[in-house]
Amino acid sequence: MLILDVKTRWSSMHQMMERAVLYQDAINMTVTTAPKDAKLSAIVDPEWEAIKLVQQWLGLFREATTTMSTTKAFTLSSVQAVFRDLQDHLRTAYSDLPPSVRPSVKEGLLRAHRKLSDYYFLTDASPYYIWATSLDPRISLSGALLDCRGDASDSEAAHVRKCKELLEQHYLCHYAAGRPDSLDTGTSVTSVAASTPTSSPAKPTIQRCAVAVERIFSSGRDTVSLCRASLKPNTIRSLMLLKQRLLLAHQGASRMLSMLSSKPDAR
């Protein structure tokens, strides 16, 4: 079964191209044997090659989307690394383009790289990304500085050091309780976040991830069938929320029964 691109569904373009490449022969045969009044346009070989190229590029974007969409782990410290990987991926893909590739494909790669650069610039406007990277034991401050080796002007390394100084000042001001200890960059993010006072005006304000909410409404195709297509939006919304509540209740009951069955009989 073919997959169509949906603007409101993440990575649907990649899924559509991936499925089309998988069924390339069947699609070509369908277009060839279709009646003339069907008005189906054949996909020529250069177009198939362009589809395969774009599908490969979008594969890394899909992986990045999956990584950053998790709700059970911290992802703030991985933001800059993900942007760098995507930019390097596009830069390598552009340099490896065959001479016969269409100009529109080249322009699409350049526009994607510029868009990533714009978003990457926004991460520099806030110190929280560097703070999270420095506090992440998998990366630490030394790892963040090591990632700046390709910058000839040393401006990126200077920005990282500046953010580290700001983090140390913030720690001494709000968490050290008057102790003049230097900030340990190995401190976990959870320990710092747990000690953050709720009334502190300097508390970092990070929006909650809406992925869990979007996952509820992404299951609308299972709720809105043909027989329910005439329902009002509020009714559909209530049905989807009710479905999610029932699913959570079922999972909770299953865990409870599993715990009870694993305990020895107290009688």
Side-chain angles (χ1 to χ4, degrees):
M1 182 177 178
L2 296 179
I3 299 176
L4 297 180
D5 177 36
V6 180
K7 292 183 178 181
T8 57
R9 180 174 290 273
W10 294 341
S11 304
S12 60
M13 174 68 75
H14 174 263
Q15 296 177 23
M16 179 184 69
M17 292 185 172
E18 186 179 44
R19 186 63 61 87
V21 171
L22 181 63
Y23 292 103
Q24 176 179 348
D25 295 336
I27 293 175
N28 288 336
M29 183 179 297
T30 301
V31 174
T32 303
T33 58
K36 294 183 178 180
D37 56 355
K39 297 181 180 180
L40 298 179
S41 301
I43 304 178
V44 296
D45 291 340
E47 293 175 335
W48 277 116
E49 293 301 322
I51 291 174
K52 293 177 181 179
L53 282 175
V54 176
Q55 180 253 328
Q56 293 175 2
W57 302 334
L58 292 179
L60 188 60
F61 281 87
R62 183 178 180 182
E63 294 178 6
T65 301
T66 304
T67 301
M68 300 305 297
S69 299
T70 180
T71 57
K72 297 182 179 180
F74 291 105
T75 58
L76 189 62
S77 60
S78 305
V79 170
Q80 293 189 323
V82 168
F83 275 121
R84 281 183 175 271
D85 289 343
L86 290 175
Q87 286 182 310
D88 293 342
H89 174 66
L90 292 182
R91 191 181 302 110
T92 302
Y94 187 83
S95 61
D96 294 340
L97 282 177
S100 58
V101 72
R102 294 189 169 193
S104 58
V105 177
K106 294 183 179 180
E107 179 62 23
L109 270 180
L110 291 176
R111 292 176 61 184
H113 192 275
R114 285 196 294 266
K115 178 61 70 174
L116 283 174
S117 299
D118 294 339
Y119 281 119
Y120 190 78
F121 175 77
L122 293 177
T123 64
D124 290 339
S126 172
Y128 299 138
Y129 299 97
I130 300 296
W131 290 6
T133 302
S134 301
L135 293 172
D136 193 329
R138 301 169 299 176
I139 306 174
S140 74
L141 179 65
S142 59
L145 291 172
L146 189 64
D147 200 29
C148 302
R149 290 182 303 174
D151 184 18
S153 63
D154 199 41
S155 59
E156 292 186 2
H159 174 68
V160 172
R161 297 189 188 97
K162 179 64 176 177
C163 289
K164 195 264 182 182
E165 294 176 1
L166 294 175
L167 175 57
E168 190 169 68
Q169 296 173 8
H170 186 82
Y171 173 78
L172 293 175
C173 179
H174 298 282
Y175 307 116
R179 295 192 307 254
D181 303 333
S182 177
L183 174 67
D184 179 10
T185 54
T187 305
S188 68
V189 178
T190 53
S191 62
V192 174
S195 60
T196 302
T198 55
S199 60
S200 173
K203 176 183 176 182
T205 303
I206 303 174
Q207 294 182 352
R208 292 183 175 87
C209 181
V211 177
V213 178
E214 293 184 11
R215 284 176 181 168
I216 296 177
F217 290 95
S218 65
S219 61
R221 59 183 178 182
D222 300 328
T223 304
V224 187
S225 59
L226 290 177
C227 62
R228 303 190 187 102
S230 60
L231 294 178
K232 295 182 178 180
N234 289 336
T235 305
I236 295 175
R237 186 181 298 109
S238 300
L239 286 174
M240 295 169 71
L241 293 174
L242 177 60
K243 174 184 173 182
Q244 186 67 14
R245 290 291 299 272
L246 292 175
L247 177 61
L248 293 176
H250 180 269
Q251 293 175 350
S254 300
R255 287 194 296 267
M256 182 64 68
L257 292 175
S258 177
M259 293 174 57
L260 293 175
S261 61
S262 62
K263 292 182 179 179
D265 193 352
R267 291 179 299 175

Coordinates of all heavy atoms in Angstrom, one line a residue, residues 46 49 53 57 93-106:
P46 N 15.3 9.6 -14.9 CA 15.9 10.7 -14.1 C 15.1 11.2 -12.9 O 15.6 11.5 -11.9 CB 16.0 11.8 -15.1 CG 16.0 11.1 -16.5 CD 15.1 10.0 -16.3
E49 N 15.7 8.7 -10.1 CA 17.0 8.9 -9.5 C 16.9 10.1 -8.5 O 17.5 10.0 -7.4 CB 18.0 9.1 -10.6 CG 18.3 7.9 -11.5 CD 18.8 6.7 -10.7 OE1 19.5 6.9 -9.7 OE2 18.4 5.6 -11.0
L53 N 17.6 10.0 -4.4 CA 18.5 10.8 -3.7 C 17.9 11.6 -2.6 O 18.4 11.6 -1.5 CB 19.1 11.9 -4.7 CG 20.2 11.4 -5.7 CD1 20.6 12.5 -6.7 CD2 21.4 11.0 -4.9
W57 N 18.5 11.5 1.6 CA 18.8 12.7 2.4 C 17.8 12.8 3.6 O 18.1 13.1 4.7 CB 18.7 13.9 1.6 CG 19.7 13.9 0.4 CD1 20.9 13.2 0.4 CD2 19.6 14.6 -0.8 NE1 21.5 13.4 -0.8 CE2 20.8 14.3 -1.6 CE3 18.7 15.5 -1.4 CZ2 21.0 14.8 -2.8 CZ3 18.9 16.0 -2.6 CH2 20.0 15.6 -3.4
A93 N 26.3 15.6 0.9 CA 25.4 15.2 -0.2 C 25.5 16.2 -1.3 O 25.5 15.8 -2.5 CB 24.0 15.2 0.4
Y94 N 25.7 17.5 -1.1 CA 25.8 18.5 -2.1 C 27.1 18.3 -2.9 O 27.1 18.4 -4.1 CB 25.7 19.9 -1.6 CG 25.7 21.0 -2.6 CD1 24.4 21.3 -3.2 CD2 26.8 21.6 -3.1 CE1 24.4 22.3 -4.2 CE2 26.8 22.6 -4.0 CZ 25.5 22.9 -4.6 OH 25.5 23.9 -5.6
S95 N 28.2 18.0 -2.2 CA 29.5 17.8 -2.9 C 29.5 16.5 -3.7 O 30.3 16.4 -4.6 CB 30.6 17.8 -1.9 OG 30.4 16.8 -0.9
D96 N 28.7 15.5 -3.3 CA 28.6 14.2 -4.0 C 27.6 14.2 -5.1 O 27.3 13.1 -5.7 CB 28.4 13.1 -3.0 CG 29.6 13.0 -2.0 OD1 30.7 13.5 -2.4 OD2 29.4 12.4 -1.0
L97 N 26.9 15.3 -5.4 CA 25.9 15.2 -6.4 C 26.4 14.9 -7.8 O 27.5 15.5 -8.2 CB 25.2 16.6 -6.5 CG 24.1 16.9 -5.4 CD1 23.6 18.3 -5.5 CD2 23.0 15.9 -5.4
P98 N 25.8 14.1 -8.6 CA 26.3 13.8 -9.9 C 26.0 15.0 -10.8 O 25.1 15.8 -10.6 CB 25.4 12.6 -10.3 CG 24.2 12.6 -9.5 CD 24.6 13.2 -8.2
P99 N 26.8 15.1 -11.9 CA 26.6 16.3 -12.8 C 25.2 16.4 -13.4 O 24.7 17.4 -13.8 CB 27.7 16.1 -13.8 CG 28.7 15.2 -13.2 CD 27.9 14.3 -12.3
S100 N 24.6 15.2 -13.6 CA 23.3 15.2 -14.3 C 22.1 15.5 -13.4 O 21.0 15.5 -13.9 CB 23.1 13.8 -14.9 OG 23.1 12.8 -13.8
V101 N 22.3 15.8 -12.1 CA 21.2 16.1 -11.2 C 20.5 17.3 -11.6 O 21.1 18.3 -12.2 CB 21.7 16.1 -9.8 CG1 22.5 17.4 -9.5 CG2 20.5 16.0 -8.8
R102 N 19.2 17.4 -11.4 CA 18.4 18.5 -11.7 C 18.8 19.8 -10.9 O 19.1 19.6 -9.7 CB 16.9 18.2 -11.6 CG 16.4 17.2 -12.5 CD 14.9 17.1 -12.5 NE 14.4 16.3 -13.5 CZ 13.1 16.2 -13.8 NH1 12.2 17.0 -13.1 NH2 12.7 15.5 -14.8
P103 N 18.7 21.0 -11.5 CA 19.0 22.2 -10.7 C 18.1 22.4 -9.5 O 18.5 22.9 -8.5 CB 18.8 23.3 -11.7 CG 19.0 22.7 -13.1 CD 18.5 21.3 -12.9
S104 N 16.8 21.9 -9.6 CA 15.9 22.1 -8.5 C 16.3 21.3 -7.3 O 16.1 21.7 -6.2 CB 14.5 21.6 -9.0 OG 14.5 20.3 -9.4
V105 N 17.0 20.1 -7.6 CA 17.4 19.3 -6.4 C 18.6 20.0 -5.7 O 18.6 20.1 -4.5 CB 17.9 17.9 -7.0 CG1 18.5 17.1 -5.8 CG2 16.7 17.2 -7.6
K106 N 19.5 20.6 -6.5 CA 20.6 21.4 -5.9 C 20.0 22.6 -5.1 O 20.5 22.9 -4.0 CB 21.5 21.9 -7.0 CG 22.3 20.8 -7.7 CD 23.2 21.4 -8.7 CE 24.0 20.4 -9.5 NZ 25.0 20.9 -10.5

